[in-house]
Amino acid sequence: MPAYPLFLLLGAVSALFVGMIDPIIAVYYVQVVGLGPLQLVLLGTVVEVSQLLFEVPTGVVADLYSRRLSVIIGVLLVGACFVVQGLVPVVAAIALAEVLRGIGATFNSGALEAWIADEIGEDRAAGAYLRYAQTRQLGALAGTVAGVALAGVALGLPVLIGGVGMLVLGVFLVFAMPERNFVSSRQDDREGAGGGPEGAPARRRRRLGGLRDAAATFLRGLEEVRSRPLLGTLMALWLVFALSTEGLDRLWEAHLLTGFQFPTAGGFSPVFWFGAINVAFMLLSVGANEVARRRVDLTDDAAVARSLFLISVLRIAGVVLFGLTVGFGLAVFGYITTEVMRRVTQPLFVGWVNRHVEPRTRATLLSMGGTVDAIGQLTGGPMIGLVGQLLSLRAAMVAVGLTLVPALPLLNRARRQAEQGAGQKAV
């Protein structure tokens, strides 16, 4: 298949299968596997630690060998994770499967974005990330409906079907996913040094020097961050954005349940309202990403920085409103606002980073960003949770907003750096 439609298809279908699982997986863990609260928290930690450990190494593999191969391995590992969980509802098997899930996510992270940028070009990729986010929201919405329906038959059924679907998707990618423009960072180095065709001794040295090549690719990525001030600022922004996400994701339901009286009209349960809130921000995210795709000049760093500044202000205002208001309707409005803006932030930001990395180390640099993201979530989640435990969930939601405030001066700094860089190029 052509790269761009395959990219969108991958986003929609993978979100469909994972979306079958996400709404019911916690219930499955409790009611079928028999996990307690501590075990549930530790499972999340297992995934985060796996991603932290493997994020950069798998990015280096993608830059050295094949981004296509890295994506396919990632999809297959995630599929294997859910098949194991659906077939073997035992704590040890679940924990092992979650390790597979974390590693699979790292094979996809960075490699997928780098692959599509190679295939269609960096400028087109910036818009493709926004369209990809839209297709994922629509796929997740369809998956949520299907997963809830399948769970009515058996709780483990959507887990198993979603896992099998991901495995089938991985096999499909083996035959359908192109890779026409990839240049290995090792090959790039050899050509840059004026090397010609390799003989047997050179091939033997190349095989024995795999670890050396991986280390060189990683160090080259670090050097890029060190030598480019804008790239360093973007990595700092990546950390700030990550600090707020884990605390909000873990505590927003608890805040609504303990702090508000749910509407009684219609006799709907809180489960219904949570589902309606998720559907609402998924649909609104599709529209918000379309507005960003049409209105923001994705090739202009200063325009992207200004847009992300406004989006970040709305995210902060939304989550602070969510924390402070006493009305259910206003709280839901605040939460949906911050979630929609968050889902516009990610593709805009990744597209911006992508335009400032060398193609030969693109997956490595994006994976470094994934590592920064994992560090931010592992740091910010417990920090926000501690605020909620010692003070209140309202205070925790306000703290989420405060963790985002440093993004504003960093975005101003990035805008100035981008404008200075553009001025130097013009001269």
Side-chain angles (χ1 to χ4, degrees):
M1 286 184 64
Y4 181 61
L6 180 66
F7 181 59
L8 300 184
L9 179 67
L10 173 58
V13 175
S14 61
L16 169 69
F17 291 132
V18 175
M20 290 182 182
I21 300 164
D22 280 346
I24 59 89
I25 192 66
V27 181
Y28 175 74
Y29 287 157
V30 173
Q31 295 187 2
V32 177
V33 185
L35 300 186
L38 178 60
Q39 291 169 312
L40 289 172
V41 172
L42 290 177
L43 277 184
T45 303
V46 165
V47 176
E48 293 292 341
V49 171
S50 298
Q51 289 180 293
L52 181 63
L53 293 176
F54 287 91
E55 186 74 61
V56 171
T58 53
V60 172
V61 168
D63 280 331
L64 280 174
Y65 299 105
S66 168
R67 287 154 188 177
R68 171 184 177 274
L69 177 62
S70 186
V71 171
I72 292 171
I73 291 173
V75 171
L76 291 174
L77 284 177
V78 172
C81 157
F82 290 124
V83 169
V84 170
Q85 295 195 43
L87 291 177
V88 190
V90 176
V91 175
I94 297 294
L96 176 62
E98 287 296 286
V99 172
L100 291 179
R101 182 184 184 183
I103 297 173
T106 65
F107 271 102
N108 273 325
S109 174
L112 180 61
E113 294 86 352
W115 168 78
I116 192 62
D118 285 345
E119 296 302 308
I120 68 174
E122 294 172 2
D123 290 341
R124 283 190 65 199
Y129 296 143
L130 288 165
R131 186 66 83 191
Y132 177 82
Q134 292 175 303
T135 62
R136 283 195 62 80
Q137 292 297 324
L138 293 174
L141 179 60
T144 298
V145 175
V148 171
L150 290 169
V153 180
L155 270 176
L157 193 58
V159 180
L160 181 58
I161 291 179
V164 170
M166 289 295 287
L167 290 177
V168 172
L169 176 61
V171 174
F172 168 76
L173 292 176
V174 171
F175 298 98
M177 189 174 188
E179 188 167 48
R180 301 183 180 92
N181 299 320
F182 171 67
V183 177
S184 165
S185 60
R186 180 196 294 117
Q187 179 182 342
D188 196 46
D189 284 342
R190 187 171 64 247
E191 292 175 354
E198 293 181 301
R203 287 194 296 269
R204 187 159 50 249
R205 287 194 302 272
R206 179 166 59 88
R207 288 194 297 269
L208 294 174
L211 289 177
R212 181 190 60 205
D213 293 332
T217 299
F218 174 67
L219 291 174
R220 189 183 300 114
L222 285 178
E223 177 60 24
E224 276 193 63
V225 175
R226 190 195 67 78
S227 62
R228 299 186 182 187
L230 176 57
L231 200 52
T233 302
L234 293 178
M235 287 293 171
L237 270 167
W238 212 319
L239 177 64
V240 171
F241 288 145
L243 286 171
S244 67
T245 57
E246 186 75 0
L248 183 61
D249 287 345
R250 292 192 181 189
L251 298 177
W252 76 273
E253 297 103 330
H255 175 51
L256 280 179
L257 285 170
T258 60
F260 299 89
Q261 181 68 43
F262 281 71
T264 57
F268 296 118
S269 69
V271 172
F272 167 83
W273 287 106
F274 286 135
I277 291 168
N278 278 281
V279 168
F281 77 66
M282 285 179 186
L283 291 175
L284 289 171
S285 296
V286 174
N289 276 291
E290 183 64 19
V291 171
R293 194 180 71 86
R294 292 175 180 268
R295 299 296 297 272
V296 180
D297 184 354
L298 302 175
T299 64
D300 183 344
D301 291 343
V304 174
R306 288 191 294 268
S307 299
L308 285 174
F309 186 94
L310 175 60
I311 289 168
S312 297
V313 169
L314 292 174
R315 285 180 68 181
I316 294 168
V319 75
V320 170
L321 175 64
F322 181 52
L324 294 181
T325 187
V326 295
F328 180 82
L330 276 177
V332 170
F333 174 77
Y335 175 73
I336 289 177
T337 298
T338 196
E339 282 299 296
V340 171
M341 292 301 101
R342 174 179 163 186
R343 280 158 176 75
V344 180
T345 297
Q346 198 272 340
L348 276 178
F349 183 71
V350 171
W352 190 11
V353 174
N354 188 65
R355 294 179 60 243
H356 290 277
V357 299
E358 294 291 338
R360 61 180 179 172
T361 55
R362 181 174 282 129
T364 299
L365 262 296
L366 293 176
S367 289
M368 284 181 183
T371 300
V372 170
D373 184 85
I375 292 171
Q377 293 194 46
L378 284 170
T379 304
M383 179 179 66
I384 300 298
L386 186 61
V387 172
Q389 182 73 26
L390 297 178
L391 299 177
S392 68
L393 288 172
R394 290 188 181 278
M397 295 302 102
V398 174
V400 168
L402 293 178
T403 61
L404 275 169
V405 169
L408 302 181
L410 283 172
L411 283 165
N412 272 331
R413 178 183 175 186
R415 177 183 55 79
R416 291 193 301 269
Q417 289 171 332
E419 290 173 343
Q420 290 170 0
Q424 290 171 358
K425 287 182 180 179
V427 173

